[in-house]
Amino acid sequence: SKLQKATTATMAKKKKKGGGTPKTRGHDSLKARKSMGGGQTQAVDLVTGKAKVEYFFDPTLAITEAAADATKTPAKTPMKVKNNLSGAFEAEINEVLYSSRQLFYPCTVIKTLDDEKKDDTDAVPVLVKTSDGILHKISDSAKLVQLTCPEDYQGLPDVLHLPHVTEASLLHALRVRYSRDDIYTSAGPILVSVNPYKEITIKGKSLYSEDQMMTYRNASSSSTPAHAEDNLPPHLFKVADRAYSALIASGAPEIEPHIEEEDAVLSMSPHPKGRRVRDQSIIISGESGAGKTEATKIIMKYLARITKKAVIGETGSPDKSASADVTSLEDRVLSSNPLLESFGNARTLRNDNSSRFGKFIEISFNTTSGMIIGASISNYLLEKTRITTQIEGERNYHIFYQLLTGADEALLEELDLTAGVAAFRYLGNRSAQKSRRDVKGFEETKDCLSQIGLSDDDQKLILSFVAATLHLGNIEFEETGDPDGEGAGESENARITDASLPSLNKACALLGLNEDEVKEAILTKLLSVGGKTIHKPQNVAQAQDKRDALAKMAYSSLFVWLVGRINSTIAPSLDGRKRLDSVGLDEFSPGLRAPKKSDAVTKLNTGFIGVLDIYGFEQFDTNGFEQLLINYANEKLQRHFNRHLFEVEQELYTSEGVDWSYITFNDNRPCLELIEGGSGSVGLLNTLDDAWGGMGSASEKDVKFVSHLHQQFGGLASPSRKKTNGGSHGNKHKNFITPKFGNDRQFIIVHYAGEVRYTANGFVEKNVESLSNELKDLGSHSSLDLAKEIFAASAGEEGSASVSDLTMTPGRRSTIRGKSVASQFRTSLQKLVVDLELTQPHYIRCIKPNLDKSSDSFNSGEVLRQLRYAGMMETIRIRREGYALREDHESFYNRFHLLLNPEEAAEGEGISHLVKVLSERLSITDADWQIGHTKIFLRRELANKLELLALLRVHAAARTLGRFGRFVAERRASTLLTAWGRLRLHMLRIHRERKAATTIQAAVLMVKQREQYRSMQISAIKMQSFQRRNAAIKLVETMRDPYSDMTFAELKALYEEEAARLDEAAENNDFKTAADIEANIAPLKEAMEAKRPLTRTLLESMIRETQAKLDDALAQKAYDECGPLQ
């Protein structure tokens, strides 16, 4: 098999390089060996005492034991895989891998099985025991992949750091990390996220707590050494912070990027012309139920939280208004999720809340302040077929069940929905019990509609569209004809049955449409022939298609309009004005982006981080039209991944003058050309569009479509060519395979993730969206203004026609058909890729660990399947083959020139001489490292080896210095001992002298202190007596003048009080009291006058008196008196 051949080639390479242990033929001869990392030994068998060599268990090598008892070998693989299988049995091998419970478990060899050995082969069967204790027989022990070093057991945070990266080591690393709740693992620039289906805590706090957010943010924003954030474990926060930091850094003055890791190569991609800010995108992909929607929410919460920190850090104090705006914006963006989930999510077999559309959320930032200034949501690839049909076990979109379950009786009666879920064809006519989740979801939906500014009447109209979609599905048709006449049953023209006319009437009333116009648009088709308009009646199948197309148009228009309404509430504003590209509804159509910003806007330091949530590669037992479109989208995104990860890296090598011919990658461009056309090929989707025409039923058209594919891409000649060319085959496309059986309806496409067999049942019918002009015009004739606006939202889809469509005349397009589903899908996807090309991408691959949605359950086969579908091994292979580490010439030379011995160093100098000497010493070639113009490029394995050699050289030098140090110490030992003895005697003498001097000093100091104390005592007594004398004087003065301590105001108040008492005593004829008071008033008045403050009037009178005295003295010539007066 291919897997076995690849494993054998890998082991052969290991033997050739000397990195692997030669395989032995028995358990007893297997020897232990030390790993390359740190010299640690392998695990030891407790029974034998020998080192235990472990391998990855490969179930494709397991064989059954015909006569073995089932109790002795439980859980045996139920089939024997042949050694030489052709490509036809590859699916069988994959089935063995995906169904094995012990897939790539560590296992040990117990013994060889000589009785199982065949003489005609060199294979040595062995008995192995996996880590869970189960025994298996292996057909050839040489094909087992060995666990070579401790890193294989540890589960490293970055799988690129594993010494040997294989599917087995990658899967085992994820399994080990998942078992200890490390759900995030890096693969270079890609983050692999495994859904835990439970809440994970670290030290009692959530894995997504605010403390965790700030830990990752502080690691990148603090003044720590470069790449300090790399020490943190992989996390969604790490990816989001990397995008945020790159966006903010791109708004700063341009500097040359510092490249030391392979992730930094993305920063070398050119910026869009006319803009300095480099927009970012985070592409989240994975299967339904892998956790894509939750990852999107977590990333949005992180960006909002670190923006709050930026608001505080700008001024040093929190800006309450700015912080409130950011919080409000975050709440509005997050609150839009329940609304989008109600109208765009549905229950599938694998997920109860599966997003049936892709969304691209742009969160705009001001790169100067780091603040969020707005957001916008673009929806892509809405699954319209789910509106009309669902497989058994799945549901339609949530809003239908929420409305039927959560609405009150009055609203249900008004919308004519009282019959319940079982009454509607678009819900499968399945009876369903009322769900509390649907009731709660309806309340959340109503709240979200209110938050985006919709009134109660507008909300009722929104729900009317939902109800009208259900009523349209109940419209039934029958063939016309006179049952009593001769032509009874011969006419194929369709008419609406009498029983379904009420459904038509109600649907038209809810949408504000004219019933006759709707009936005519469904039952007839307008053809333009020779300038004349012809009304062509439709048969039952065609009428049903047009009915379904009308329902899809109504619901998809509603969905597009809701996205546009959400965007109008969260659209970023610049200088108080709305974004110039937020005008109009076309940008909110699926896949349609806004026009380019004007120069006034692009000059501002604004950018966005886009988060893309889209479904991943799918392969089921039966793959239909939906899987083809989904896998086509993943092929397109894989091409984008190749462009930004591989080709940009090769551009960097070219700019540095590095030969990158050693690096190759599997380009999926041929597969894209097979699907969408190009390089002279028509393409599968164009062939599907052409299959709509002609006569025959839908089933016959499917067969015709597949037949054309086999003729065009499978190398099979058409019947006419066989006659003319003698049966020569046509051109065969390498990505197209014609199956040997069932090729009338089946074909195989070789995708990047593997071969997928498609069954063309209903391909043509699902692709044709019979949205003729008469159906399109119905919305513009609605009597409800809001309904007209909603129907107008779908005009953007048709307005985004491809170039080939636009070259046709309107009459031609109207005559043949409307725009097909595949064509709309392709146009929408192309515009999405164009948007992503203008951003710097970051990738997240979400993995679902099991199909039961249970925690602590790791289904290895299911995870391996998803890893293959995500193209992880190809990605890892390219990253490993590329030059993972880059370093400046000077830095590299300073670090590793110590590996040169003196003779080699004397022969030359510089980076070239160093690389030449080390290449000869290590027997390596230019494929392992190369010298660029400014940097040296080398593989991670070689870098680790050089680091180890440099460390060993340092250790050797340290040992040499240690020996020399010991020799010097021995020579100095006797001298030091003699000197120490002399020093000891000298120190004793000095000690005695110092002790005597200390005693004398103590006596002298005692005398001095005693005299000082006596002097201080006498001074204190004198100071006490002086203080007592002053206190006595003050007491005597107080006794002599009781008013000395009083102010003028207090004296005046006391004087007035005494005067009042005097007057009172006089009035009472108490002359004795009056005399006493009058005696006290006199000294009081004198004291008051002595303390009276000088007023302006008093000062002026004193000046006049003094001037008069001065004049008299001058007149009398008494000059000796003039001086004092002056």
Side-chain angles (χ1 to χ4, degrees):
S1 68
K2 294 182 179 179
L3 182 61
Q4 292 171 346
K5 291 179 181 179
T7 303
T8 305
T10 302
M11 300 306 298
K13 289 182 179 179
K14 292 181 182 179
K15 293 179 182 179
K16 185 177 181 181
K17 294 182 178 180
T21 302
K23 303 298 178 181
T24 56
R25 298 306 182 185
H27 171 64
D28 296 335
S29 60
L30 292 176
K31 296 184 178 180
R33 49 174 268 191
K34 294 188 176 182
S35 66
M36 297 177 60
Q40 301 180 25
T41 58
Q42 299 286 352
V44 177
D45 194 309
L46 297 179
V47 178
T48 63
K50 297 181 179 180
K52 184 166 52 176
V53 180
E54 291 188 315
Y55 305 87
F56 290 113
F57 173 69
D58 188 350
T60 62
L61 302 176
I63 58 178
T64 59
E65 186 176 350
D69 187 6
T71 58
K72 296 181 180 179
T73 56
K76 292 291 183 180
T77 305
M79 60 178 296
K80 179 177 180 179
V81 181
K82 300 180 180 179
N83 292 332
N84 297 319
L85 294 174
S86 63
F89 292 95
E90 186 171 353
E92 186 178 358
I93 295 178
N94 292 337
E95 182 64 26
V96 174
L97 288 173
Y98 299 156
S99 61
S100 175
R101 294 179 55 188
Q102 291 83 26
L103 177 63
F104 297 145
Y105 270 31
C107 67
T108 55
V109 177
I110 303 301
K111 64 177 182 179
T112 59
L113 301 175
D114 297 333
D115 54 342
E116 297 284 347
K117 184 176 180 180
K118 298 180 180 180
D119 297 335
D120 56 344
T121 63
D122 295 333
V124 178
V126 293
L127 181 67
V128 300
K129 181 172 68 174
T130 55
S131 56
D132 57 353
I134 299 180
L135 300 177
H136 302 268
K137 290 182 179 180
I138 298 298
S139 59
D140 189 1
S141 61
K143 295 179 180 180
L144 292 174
V145 179
Q146 182 179 341
L147 281 75
T148 58
C149 58
E151 286 81 357
D152 290 330
Y153 298 89
Q154 295 170 1
L156 296 181
D158 193 336
V159 294
L160 291 185
H161 294 169
L162 290 171
H164 303 285
V165 183
T166 61
E167 278 189 342
S169 61
L170 171 61
L171 180 64
H172 186 60
L174 293 178
R175 180 166 50 217
V176 171
R177 293 181 60 79
Y178 185 79
S179 64
R180 58 176 186 247
D181 288 341
D182 290 334
I183 62 174
Y184 298 116
T185 305
S186 295
I190 306 173
L191 179 69
V192 180
S193 172
V194 184
N195 194 341
Y197 293 113
K198 67 177 182 179
E199 183 71 20
I200 296 179
T201 58
I202 300 178
K203 297 180 180 180
K205 294 184 179 180
S206 172
L207 183 62
Y208 312 104
S209 64
E210 184 172 339
D211 291 342
Q212 286 289 318
M213 293 182 184
M214 302 318 300
T215 298
Y216 281 86
R217 182 56 195 154
N218 294 334
S220 62
S221 60
S222 62
S223 58
T224 53
H227 303 290
E229 66 273 12
D230 291 343
N231 296 326
L232 293 173
H235 201 289
L236 289 173
F237 295 160
K238 196 171 186 178
V239 177
D241 189 82
R242 186 186 306 160
Y244 178 78
S245 299
L247 176 68
I248 301 302
S250 67
E254 293 187 3
I255 58 176
E256 183 178 354
H258 178 70
I259 302 177
E260 291 190 2
E261 286 291 337
E262 63 271 36
D263 304 351
V265 72
L266 298 178
S267 64
M268 297 299 295
S269 53
H271 292 0
K273 293 183 179 180
R275 292 204 67 184
R276 183 179 64 174
V277 175
R278 176 65 163 164
D279 295 328
Q280 308 290 311
S281 61
I282 301 176
I283 302 174
I284 307 174
S285 63
E287 292 191 355
S288 177
K292 302 186 299 296
T293 303
E294 290 301 319
T296 302
K297 295 177 182 177
I298 292 170
I299 289 175
M300 292 170 59
K301 289 180 180 179
Y302 177 80
L303 294 176
R305 177 61 187 90
I306 63 175
T307 302
K308 296 177 184 177
K309 180 177 183 293
V311 172
I312 296 176
E314 188 72 21
T315 60
S317 59
D319 186 347
K320 296 182 179 179
S321 60
S323 180
D325 292 341
V326 172
T327 303
S328 176
L329 178 60
E330 179 214 10
D331 294 340
R332 280 180 286 166
V333 174
L334 295 181
S335 66
S336 65
N337 285 325
L339 184 59
L340 294 178
E341 289 179 1
S342 296
F343 285 86
N345 287 27
R347 187 179 72 187
T348 63
L349 296 177
R350 296 188 174 185
N351 188 6
D352 292 339
N353 188 32
S354 175
S355 298
R356 307 316 300 166
F357 69 102
K359 58 176 177 288
F360 190 53
I361 305 174
E362 293 183 8
I363 305 177
S364 300
F365 295 84
N366 184 322
T367 57
T368 302
S369 63
M371 292 176 54
I372 293 179
I373 60 175
S376 66
I377 302 174
S378 301
N379 63 292
Y380 300 94
L381 321 177
L382 178 68
E383 186 184 10
K384 296 182 182 180
T385 56
R386 183 169 294 273
I387 301 172
T388 58
T389 57
Q390 311 92 41
I391 65 176
E392 186 66 29
E394 295 190 351
R395 298 202 317 176
N396 209 323
Y397 291 106
H398 292 327
I399 186 60
F400 295 108
Y401 305 94
Q402 292 176 1
L403 176 60
L404 292 169
T405 305
D408 54 32
E409 293 296 333
L411 179 59
L412 292 177
E413 186 173 353
E414 182 178 354
L415 300 178
D416 196 13
L417 300 177
T418 55
V421 176
F424 296 99
R425 176 179 172 272
Y426 283 169
L427 302 182
N429 297 114
R430 306 183 185 99
S431 59
Q433 297 180 352
K434 290 189 176 182
S435 170
R436 293 183 180 179
R437 180 182 300 177
D438 291 333
V439 175
K440 182 180 179 181
F442 184 74
E443 296 298 328
E444 291 182 355
T445 302
K446 294 278 289 183
D447 293 339
C448 292
L449 291 174
S450 300
Q451 290 181 10
I452 63 176
L454 293 179
S455 63
D456 292 340
D457 293 338
D458 292 341
Q459 294 183 31
K460 185 177 294 185
L461 181 59
I462 299 299
L463 299 178
S464 297
F465 262 75
V466 177
T469 303
L470 296 177
H471 288 299
L472 287 175
N474 283 354
I475 299 177
E476 300 291 342
F477 303 93
E478 61 184 5
E479 295 179 354
T480 60
D482 185 3
D484 299 327
E486 296 178 357
E490 295 179 359
S491 175
E492 296 182 356
N493 298 338
R495 62 180 293 272
I496 299 176
T497 62
D498 296 336
S500 59
L501 284 176
S503 298
L504 174 64
N505 179 270
K506 189 61 180 180
C508 294
L510 293 174
L511 298 177
L513 302 178
N514 184 278
E515 183 176 349
D516 294 334
E517 292 181 358
V518 174
K519 185 183 301 184
E520 182 178 0
I522 293 178
L523 297 179
T524 61
K525 184 172 186 177
L526 299 180
L527 298 179
S528 186
V529 179
K532 298 181 180 180
T533 302
I534 301 176
H535 292 264
K536 178 184 177 182
Q538 303 287 283
N539 58 32
V540 172
Q542 293 170 338
Q544 290 174 347
D545 290 342
K546 299 186 74 173
R547 173 203 62 194
D548 293 342
L550 178 59
K552 293 176 184 178
M553 182 188 74
Y555 189 83
S556 61
S557 299
L558 174 62
F559 184 78
V560 171
W561 182 87
L562 284 173
V563 174
R565 189 57 184 258
I566 293 173
N567 284 337
S568 66
T569 64
I570 61 177
S573 60
L574 302 172
D575 297 333
R577 297 174 282 108
K578 281 192 174 182
R579 282 178 50 179
L580 301 180
D581 61 348
S582 63
V583 180
L585 287 173
D586 288 352
E587 62 167 314
F588 306 125
S589 299
L592 296 183
R593 304 291 305 123
K596 293 183 178 179
K597 299 179 176 69
S598 68
D599 293 339
V601 177
T602 56
K603 291 180 180 179
L604 296 176
N605 289 331
T606 60
F608 69 84
I609 298 177
V611 183
L612 176 64
D613 175 7
I614 197 165
Y615 27 64
F617 190 86
E618 291 185 356
Q619 181 181 12
F620 305 120
D621 294 337
T622 302
N623 301 286
F625 181 66
E626 293 79 7
Q627 281 69 47
L628 175 63
L629 296 185
I630 290 174
N631 295 341
Y632 165 50
N634 280 271
E635 285 284 355
K636 201 77 172 178
L637 293 177
Q638 185 69 17
R639 175 61 186 165
H640 170 263
F641 180 82
N642 293 345
R643 166 70 181 85
H644 281 272
L645 197 62
F646 305 148
E647 296 181 5
V648 173
E649 186 168 357
Q650 292 177 355
E651 290 177 6
L652 174 63
Y653 295 156
T654 303
S655 65
E656 284 283 337
V658 174
D659 182 14
W660 49 270
S661 60
Y662 309 100
I663 306 171
T664 60
F665 69 92
N666 297 327
D667 191 1
N668 67 331
R669 184 181 299 175
C671 184
L672 284 174
E673 293 176 350
L674 168 66
I675 298 175
E676 64 183 8
S679 300
S681 175
V682 177
L684 186 148
L685 297 183
N686 292 332
T687 305
L688 180 60
D689 289 345
D690 295 337
W692 177 85
M695 304 298 291
S697 63
S699 178
E700 293 172 347
K701 291 180 180 179
D702 287 336
V703 175
K704 178 182 177 182
F705 160 66
V706 176
S707 176
H708 285 172
L709 292 183
H710 293 321
Q711 295 170 17
Q712 190 169 357
F713 305 112
L716 299 182
S718 63
S720 61
R721 288 184 179 179
K722 288 183 179 180
K723 295 178 181 179
T724 58
N725 301 336
S728 61
H729 288 196
N731 296 327
K732 180 175 177 59
H733 198 285
K734 66 177 184 179
N735 289 87
F736 186 90
I737 299 176
T738 300
K740 295 183 179 180
F741 305 99
N743 58 9
D744 57 336
R745 289 183 178 272
Q746 294 183 345
F747 59 94
I748 299 174
I749 296 180
V750 182
H751 292 281
Y752 73 94
E755 299 179 1
V756 179
R757 181 188 294 262
Y758 295 98
T759 303
N761 288 332
F763 265 49
V764 176
E765 183 180 3
K766 292 179 180 179
N767 182 55
V768 175
E769 193 172 80
S770 303
L771 200 58
S772 57
N773 288 336
E774 50 268 23
L775 286 179
K776 300 177 193 175
D777 295 339
L778 288 177
S780 61
H781 298 161
S782 175
S783 60
L784 304 174
D785 294 335
L786 183 57
K788 289 182 180 179
E789 183 180 343
I790 293 175
F791 278 115
S794 62
E797 289 187 59
E798 297 299 325
S800 62
S802 61
V803 176
S804 60
D805 292 333
L806 295 176
T807 57
M808 297 181 182
T809 62
R812 175 68 175 168
R813 294 200 308 271
S814 176
T815 303
I816 300 178
R817 62 179 180 273
K819 202 164 183 286
S820 66
V821 173
S823 179
Q824 294 180 34
F825 192 99
R826 177 174 52 193
T827 303
S828 175
L829 185 60
Q830 289 173 347
K831 290 186 176 294
L832 170 61
V833 174
V834 168
D835 289 340
L836 295 179
E837 288 289 346
L838 300 178
T839 65
Q840 177 180 335
H842 308 266
Y843 299 94
I844 299 175
R845 297 286 194 259
C846 295
I847 302 295
K848 183 166 52 176
N850 57 77
L851 298 178
D852 301 326
K853 296 176 283 187
S854 59
S855 60
D856 301 323
S857 175
F858 192 90
N859 188 329
S860 301
E862 179 65 20
V863 174
L864 177 63
R865 180 183 62 80
Q866 296 177 65
L867 290 175
R868 287 183 173 181
Y869 291 172
M872 290 299 300
M873 285 308 301
E874 175 67 10
T875 302
I876 292 174
R877 182 186 67 81
I878 296 300
R879 303 302 284 181
R880 297 283 297 188
E881 289 187 0
Y883 300 106
L885 298 178
R886 300 94 191 239
E887 192 169 355
D888 294 334
H889 290 172
E890 182 179 359
S891 174
F892 182 84
Y893 185 81
N894 291 337
R895 290 176 59 197
F896 297 110
H897 77 281
L898 55 86
L899 296 178
L900 301 177
N901 56 44
E903 293 78 10
E904 293 171 341
E907 293 176 358
E909 60 182 10
I911 187 71
S912 300
H913 177 66
L914 176 63
V915 170
K916 178 181 177 182
V917 173
L918 293 180
S919 297
E920 294 176 353
R921 183 184 301 175
L922 301 176
S923 301
I924 56 179
T925 64
D926 292 342
D928 295 303
W929 58 357
Q930 293 194 43
I931 303 176
H933 298 313
T934 61
K935 302 179 183 298
I936 182 170
F937 295 74
L938 63 162
R939 302 189 191 279
R940 189 178 296 277
E941 294 84 353
L942 178 57
N944 294 336
K945 186 180 296 184
L946 292 177
E947 292 284 359
L948 179 60
L949 290 176
L951 181 62
L952 293 176
R953 176 59 62 89
V954 171
H955 287 174
R959 287 193 296 270
T960 301
L961 291 175
R963 287 194 299 269
F964 177 75
R966 286 191 297 272
F967 171 75
V968 173
E970 290 173 358
R971 289 187 57 184
R972 294 179 178 176
S974 59
T975 305
L976 290 176
L977 288 173
T978 302
W980 182 83
R982 293 174 181 176
L983 175 64
R984 181 63 179 170
L985 294 175
H986 177 71
M987 292 302 295
L988 288 175
R989 184 173 62 254
I990 294 298
H991 175 69
R992 287 193 298 270
E993 291 175 356
R994 287 182 178 178
K995 186 175 181 180
T998 301
T999 302
I1000 296 172
Q1001 289 175 355
V1004 173
L1005 290 176
M1006 179 185 67
V1007 174
K1008 288 183 178 181
Q1009 290 294 329
R1010 183 181 298 171
E1011 291 178 356
Q1012 185 179 0
Y1013 170 74
R1014 289 178 180 176
S1015 176
M1016 292 174 61
Q1017 185 180 24
I1018 294 172
S1019 299
I1021 293 173
K1022 289 181 179 180
M1023 291 176 63
Q1024 289 176 357
S1025 63
F1026 181 77
Q1027 182 65 23
R1028 291 191 186 100
R1029 187 188 67 176
N1030 289 340
I1033 292 173
K1034 188 174 182 180
L1035 178 61
V1036 171
E1037 289 178 353
T1038 302
M1039 294 175 64
R1040 291 176 180 176
D1041 184 6
Y1043 309 112
S1044 61
D1045 295 336
M1046 301 179 66
T1047 63
F1048 174 77
E1050 293 174 346
L1051 292 173
K1052 184 177 180 182
L1054 182 58
Y1055 175 78
E1056 292 174 354
E1057 182 180 352
E1058 292 298 325
R1061 288 181 57 203
L1062 179 60
D1063 293 341
E1064 183 179 358
E1067 289 177 0
N1068 295 334
N1069 295 324
D1070 189 357
F1071 300 107
K1072 182 179 180 180
T1073 303
D1076 296 337
I1077 295 174
E1078 188 174 6
N1080 294 332
I1081 285 180
L1084 176 60
K1085 186 174 182 182
E1086 292 177 0
M1088 182 179 66
E1089 291 299 333
K1091 294 186 178 183
R1092 179 183 297 276
L1094 296 178
T1095 63
R1096 181 182 183 87
T1097 305
L1098 183 58
L1099 286 174
E1100 290 177 351
S1101 64
M1102 292 174 66
I1103 292 173
R1104 286 195 297 271
E1105 291 176 1
T1106 306
Q1107 185 66 41
K1109 293 179 181 180
L1110 181 60
D1111 293 339
D1112 292 342
L1114 290 173
Q1116 296 175 5
K1117 297 182 180 181
Y1119 299 113
D1120 55 342
E1121 297 179 1
C1122 293
L1125 292 174
Q1126 183 66 32

